[in-house]
Amino acid sequence: MTISRPRGTRDFLPEDTRCRRNVENILRKVVRNWGFQEIITPTFESLELFTLKSGEGIVGELYNFTDKGEREMTLRPELTAPVMRMYVNEMQARQKPLKLFYFENCFRYERPQKGRFREFWQFGVELIGSDKADADAEVIALASEMLKSVGIRGDLHVNHLGVIRHLLSVLETEQQSRIMRLVDKKEQQGLEDYLVEISAPADLRMKLVELITLTGSDAIQRARMLVGDIPELAVYQELLTLLDTYGVEYTIDFGIARGLDYYTGTVFEIYAEGLGAQKQVCGGGSYQLIKLFGGGDVPSTGFGLGFDRIMEVCTIEPEEAKPVVIIAMETTRLDAVKIAVQLRPYMPVHVDLMKRNFKAQLSYANYLEAGYAIIIGEKEASAGKVMLKDMHSGEQELLTVVEVIRRLGDQGSKNGSAVQEHIE
């Protein structure tokens, strides 16, 4: 009987994993250089954590279960809520701002399709404690830089929800929320039908439909004509000035809504070519969630990167040292193991584990695309040396192990005396 992997999940072969780890490490380096620290939260949490944040409707999308203590739990569908819980539980007394990041797998029970899986990976950032445009600008600039670092030129769209919320302030709270969700989903006809259904003032309907289509360099000036010279537009302009200072390219887009009530001001999305309809690779903004989970009224801003979508369009190849293969005879197998132990602090090394003959071992070295083979016959062993074979040129040279390390190992080439001392 063959057992297949669960639907909506993937196996990552060595070559796939190598590429994913390479991109992950590049992103980690960037985010650490911006002063963010890594955190890890549990793979499963209380179901209430996510229904508080997103409503009961999210349960249909979750891998939820009742544990042996009759507690309602779920595999995490995202990381922002767990980070907010962690802050309330563990970090409220710390100096602000807190600059945190994470890279973890998440789970959603939904129909698998291109760019969407039931198990997926999210690289995210949360900056807790500042409601200033400076914090929003740094987070957006960081997201742009992270994508740039892995060769993705993202199309960044930025908005400030204070403008559309100001326009909708005459409506009931639930009506505002429904409108924001329709705007987020780009359901133009559904939005117009709903505005008619709730008997929204004709002037509001006209202004709203026009506002959410505004993009480009003159969008703020045109928005000012629709809603007046409100403070939210000044905050928006401050953010854009900061993004200009960071050297970030962006598009002003009043149609970006994010569709969730807890977003309070700045929102942004980044799109990448080559992904079809699921082209969004990053989304985020400023939000208020900590109070919902029992903490104070603490502002936050952050984003999530869709790591799997990034991997679909990322073309960066990992740069790894080619392995060295030690080829031995039956009588020198133990010598091969001893030499492998000496070499492995400096380079990736394989020894034969199948008791193959000389020809088969050489063939395996070719299969591994080894850069060099180290041949240990009885003559080489008795002389205390090895034969170093360049697998590309075919050239061979009789050397000591120390000389091999100096030739091939980075650390050995920098400090020959340390290598000698280590081996002795």
Side-chain angles (χ1 to χ4, degrees), residues 41-319:
T41 61
T43 304
F44 60 93
E45 298 267 6
S46 296
L47 177 63
E48 186 182 16
L49 181 67
F50 300 101
T51 56
L52 273 175
K53 173 175 175 281
S54 303
E56 293 292 335
I58 195 177
V59 175
E61 302 175 17
L62 302 181
Y63 275 92
N64 59 302
F65 58 94
T66 302
D67 71 8
K68 293 180 180 180
E70 298 300 315
R71 291 172 288 258
E72 291 294 319
M73 313 297 289
T74 184
L75 298 180
R76 61 191 175 207
E78 49 91 9
L79 273 301
T80 300
V83 173
M84 298 301 104
R85 177 202 51 74
M86 172 191 273
Y87 170 80
V88 172
N89 292 166
E90 313 282 354
M91 307 179 77
Q92 293 193 67
R94 298 199 179 195
Q95 183 73 38
K96 309 296 188 299
L98 294 175
K99 299 169 66 174
L100 310 172
F101 81 92
Y102 46 80
F103 178 78
E104 301 291 345
N105 57 341
C106 300
F107 306 86
R108 281 186 183 264
Y109 193 84
E110 58 183 357
R111 184 174 64 85
Q113 54 185 296
K114 181 177 174 59
R116 283 187 178 272
F117 305 95
R118 289 180 172 176
E119 181 186 28
F120 57 95
W121 274 258
Q122 188 176 79
F123 202 124
V125 158
E126 313 294 347
L127 193 156
I128 301 172
S130 175
D131 62 355
K132 303 296 187 288
D134 306 69
D136 294 344
E138 174 161 309
V139 164
I140 294 172
L142 171 58
S144 178
E145 181 63 26
M146 290 173 73
L147 290 174
K148 189 187 301 182
S149 73
V150 293
I152 296 175
R153 181 181 174 84
D155 182 14
L156 168 64
H157 287 231
V158 184
N159 189 19
H160 193 290
L161 293 182
V163 181
I164 190 172
R165 291 193 190 282
H166 175 86
L167 187 62
L168 299 177
S169 60
V170 298
L171 301 177
E172 296 177 5
T173 301
E174 179 52 39
Q175 292 174 337
Q176 294 181 40
S177 298
R178 175 77 180 276
I179 288 171
M180 295 297 282
R181 289 192 291 271
L182 290 168
V183 172
D184 179 48
K185 294 178 179 179
K186 312 296 184 188
E187 294 183 7
Q188 183 75 18
Q189 189 58 53
L191 173 63
E192 294 180 14
D193 291 344
Y194 182 66
L195 291 171
V196 172
E197 178 186 328
I198 63 175
S199 301
D203 184 54
L204 183 150
R205 297 205 305 265
M206 179 201 70
K207 289 181 177 180
L208 176 62
V209 171
E210 183 176 352
L211 177 67
I212 63 176
T213 64
L214 297 182
T215 62
S217 58
D218 65 340
I220 288 187
Q221 183 59 38
R222 292 159 61 196
R224 188 172 285 113
M225 296 171 63
L226 292 173
V227 300
D229 196 13
I230 60 176
E232 290 83 356
L233 282 173
V235 175
Y236 194 0
Q237 185 61 66
E238 182 185 3
L239 170 71
L240 300 179
T241 299
L242 283 162
L243 291 179
D244 290 337
T245 305
Y246 274 108
V248 174
E249 295 183 9
Y250 58 84
T251 297
I252 299 170
D253 187 345
F254 282 94
I256 300 296
R258 300 297 292 162
L260 297 168
D261 292 339
Y262 54 80
Y263 281 105
T264 55
T266 298
V267 288
F268 67 97
E269 295 178 352
I270 305 179
Y271 314 106
E273 295 181 359
L275 290 172
Q278 302 293 340
K279 62 181 180 178
Q280 184 181 324
V281 293
C282 179
S286 57
Y287 58 90
Q288 290 277 6
L289 274 175
I290 290 171
K291 190 173 184 179
L292 186 65
F293 298 138
D297 192 12
V298 182
S300 305
T301 186
F303 63 80
L305 286 174
F307 188 76
D308 300 289
R309 294 184 186 177
I310 287 174
M311 292 308 302
E312 284 191 43
V313 293
C314 180
T315 58
I316 292 179
E317 292 291 334
E319 296 181 6

